[in-house]
Amino acid sequence: MAISIDHDLCNGCEKCVKVCPYEGVELKDGKAVLNDRCTACGACIDACKEEAISSDIKEREIPDFTDFKGIWVFAEQRDGAITRVTFELLGLGQSLAQELNQELSAVLLGYKVDHIIEELKEFGAQSVYLAQHKLLTHYQTNPYAKVISEIVGEHKPNIFLIGATTIGRDLAPRVAMRLALGLTADCTELSIDPEDGSLLQTRPAFGGNVMATIKTLYTRPQMATVRPGVMEAKRIDAPSRCRIIKKDVNLLSKDRLTKILEAVREKKKGVSLTDAKVIVAGGRGVGSEQGMKSLFALAQALGGEVAGTRMVIEEGWLPAERQVGQTGQTVRPELYIACGISGAIQHRAGMLGSRYIIAINKDERAPIFEVADWGIVGDLHEVVPAFTRAMGNRKMEREG
Ligand SMILES: Cc1cc2nc3c(=O)[nH]c(=O)nc-3n(C[C@H](O)[C@H](O)[C@H](O)COP(=O)(O)OP(=O)(O)OC[C@H]3O[C@@H](n4cnc5c(N)ncnc54)[C@H](O)[C@@H]3O)c2cc1C
């Protein structure tokens, strides 16, 4: 056992029991004992003021990483068009690069994708690692993981960021596994530790009940996937010169374990929530699926999309992909209208980046008003239709 408890020193205070995230310590006859749920994480050691708990695990030496330099962003493209999360990651990368005084680079894979470089430069890339090959035309796990691992292994970046999209979530663990790296998936916040310059990677843990901040101590690059919609894209006014580093690609047909026969695109109704400029969101206060209709009418009048809280999704009034919040989507529209939403912290986590927030709630003390730019205290079943009518009248006035 790596952790041991000295029962002569243990005073049965239970601090270790309370602090253990795995319920791996319990009290027996007034003394703390470990059970088989203990993972030897060591949380109890710091909590014990009597110094009764110790570990025989030796601290690993942290290797010297001075060779690893630069912030890299995976430039995800689909059919030759770059995805928005790439610009968001470059926006974040600009801040990280400035803080560390290191270069910001994009890694672009594809076939005949040179036209993308200019856009990457406009959003902050100071260099682009470019790998082009027919087998890289469309994303495929094996060829992409192979090529990226080779480039990362050769050039040794300090930080490597990938969007937590369907592609990113498939690619990142493959690259991490090939290079024996750590990976923090689905981050919602990234910053630099002022003490040692390492990357602080924050993400929801334990089903979203806590936010965990993770450091990659023993491997480089520090790899993280980041949720789309969380970071802000920042276009550069006068981008400086962008270095292009063309990489040779050694891929054979056998490196491709699957073959794309046909791409059938899912027909989506409306715009995705992360791209929507206006979102009308409903909460439990809407009352029923029928009640959602007035929200759809307002969204239509404003050219927006409809979303909801977890309550609304659980009630089945909207499909799961319309959930906003910590365990749903993170959105950044120009306007977010929260109707019958209390403003729980888990919901706010997904919509605080909205430019303007209007809250409609019949309870003037609802926490949503704390984050709203404008608040309407009233019954949404009266306010929302009145809002929609007013929008209709404005439109008629404009059209003469
Ligand atoms: C681990 C975890 C993860 C979670 N993840 C998410 C998440 O991703 N997204 C999310 O949304 N939640 C999430 N939740 C749930 C969250 O904690 C809240 O329970 C939820 O957001 C509340 O939803 P609500 O505002 O619709 O309902 P309520 O909190 O019940 O609020 C309803 C509001 O409607 C108002 N109201 C009622 N009738 C009217 C009316 N006629 N007119 C105007 N106002 C009215 C009430 O005053 C009230 O403020 C999570 C919870 C946990 C524990």
Side-chain angles (χ1 to χ4, degrees):
M1 175 73 76
I3 304 269
S4 53
I5 301 175
D6 183 339
H7 282 166
D8 292 336
L9 294 177
C10 174
N11 63 3
C13 71
E14 280 190 283
K15 285 201 178 91
C16 52
V17 176
K18 286 181 193 141
V19 84
C20 178
Y22 304 101
E23 297 179 357
V25 202
E26 53 195 288
L27 217 61
K28 273 194 188 147
D29 303 327
K31 301 284 178 191
V33 287
L34 302 171
N35 62 35
D36 56 10
R37 283 192 291 273
C38 170
T39 63
C41 72
C44 55
I45 299 176
D46 298 333
C48 181
K49 298 288 170 266
E50 307 306 315
E51 296 185 2
I53 310 178
S54 57
S55 162
D56 61 8
I57 302 172
K58 296 255 181 319
E59 256 187 49
R60 263 171 76 187
E61 207 174 301
I62 298 175
D64 177 11
F65 292 123
T66 37
D67 279 3
F68 289 77
K69 289 221 163 54
I71 321 300
W72 281 25
V73 165
F74 170 58
E76 182 182 323
Q77 57 86 16
R78 296 177 191 201
D79 298 329
I82 205 81
T83 53
R84 211 178 80 168
V85 69
T86 305
F87 300 134
E88 294 168 2
L89 293 184
L90 286 171
L92 163 72
Q94 286 177 39
S95 319
L96 299 177
Q98 199 176 16
E99 213 168 331
L100 292 171
N101 196 19
Q102 295 185 5
E103 194 179 63
L104 175 60
S105 307
V107 195
L108 175 62
L109 272 62
Y111 185 56
K112 298 188 178 166
V113 287
D114 307 71
H115 60 282
I116 292 176
I117 294 171
E118 196 52 35
E119 271 188 291
L120 296 172
K121 180 177 149 188
E122 282 171 23
F123 282 87
Q126 295 162 311
S127 59
V128 174
Y129 291 82
L130 177 66
Q132 303 208 74
H133 192 283
K134 224 171 171 175
L135 286 177
L136 298 173
T137 307
H138 300 290
Y139 174 75
Q140 287 195 73
T141 309
N142 212 41
Y144 267 63
K146 180 174 188 287
V147 172
I148 290 189
S149 304
E150 282 168 8
I151 303 177
V152 169
E154 182 187 343
H155 292 276
K156 298 189 167 69
N158 177 15
I159 293 172
F160 186 26
L161 307 175
I162 297 181
T165 58
T166 324
I167 287 179
R169 286 175 192 200
D170 183 66
L171 175 69
R174 262 72 179 204
V175 175
M177 193 275 291
R178 280 169 186 255
L179 296 171
L181 302 174
L183 168 68
T184 310
D186 222 11
C187 293
T188 53
E189 201 186 317
L190 293 173
S191 59
I192 300 297
D193 185 336
E195 278 190 11
D196 60 5
S198 63
L199 186 67
L200 298 173
Q201 306 151 54
T202 303
R203 53 152 297 153
F206 294 106
N209 287 310
V210 292
M211 296 303 281
T213 298
I214 295 158
K215 268 168 75 157
T216 311
L217 291 180
Y218 303 107
T219 54
R220 289 291 180 277
Q222 301 160 92
M223 261 189 90
T225 62
V226 181
R227 277 196 196 189
V230 181
M231 307 299 170
E232 208 176 334
K234 288 182 245 168
R235 196 185 282 272
I236 295 202
D237 291 338
S240 55
R241 213 172 60 82
C242 177
R243 234 165 20 107
I244 300 164
I245 303 109
K246 291 192 176 161
K247 303 305 301 177
D248 290 334
V249 178
N250 300 312
L251 278 177
L252 303 169
S253 309
K254 70 173 172 58
D255 292 319
R256 180 183 60 173
L257 303 176
T258 52
K259 195 170 170 187
I260 298 175
L261 300 178
E262 190 189 359
V264 182
R265 308 238 173 257
E266 188 186 355
K267 283 200 191 97
K268 283 208 172 142
K269 266 212 227 146
V271 179
S272 81
L273 284 186
T274 44
D275 291 331
K277 295 267 179 282
V278 176
I279 292 179
V280 180
R284 195 181 348 224
V286 173
S288 63
E289 193 172 0
Q290 181 69 15
M292 293 298 296
K293 285 198 173 153
S294 64
L295 273 62
F296 276 99
L298 178 56
Q300 197 182 12
L302 294 167
E305 293 296 315
V306 175
T309 64
R310 190 162 98 170
M311 294 305 151
V312 164
I313 309 305
E314 282 174 359
E315 290 290 346
W317 303 340
L318 282 177
E321 78 264 9
R322 295 271 132 182
Q323 180 183 324
V324 169
Q326 193 176 302
T327 42
Q329 303 229 38
T330 306
V331 297
R332 293 181 155 271
E334 291 289 307
L335 177 61
Y336 190 87
I337 307 177
C339 313
I341 291 177
S342 60
I345 187 92
Q346 294 89 353
H347 183 75
R348 279 150 61 159
M351 46 72 83
L352 273 185
S354 308
R355 180 134 190 233
Y356 297 111
I357 298 170
I358 300 179
I360 305 167
N361 197 302
K362 65 181 185 185
D363 176 4
E364 63 180 31
R365 287 160 308 158
I368 192 74
F369 288 128
E370 290 164 18
V371 296
D373 296 284
W374 296 281
I376 302 171
V377 180
D379 185 341
L380 71 92
H381 300 297
E382 291 166 17
V383 177
V384 173
F387 203 155
T388 313
R389 277 196 301 277
M391 293 313 300
N393 292 343
R394 288 283 307 275
K395 196 170 170 219
M396 277 180 359
E397 278 167 26
R398 273 202 310 271
E399 288 169 359

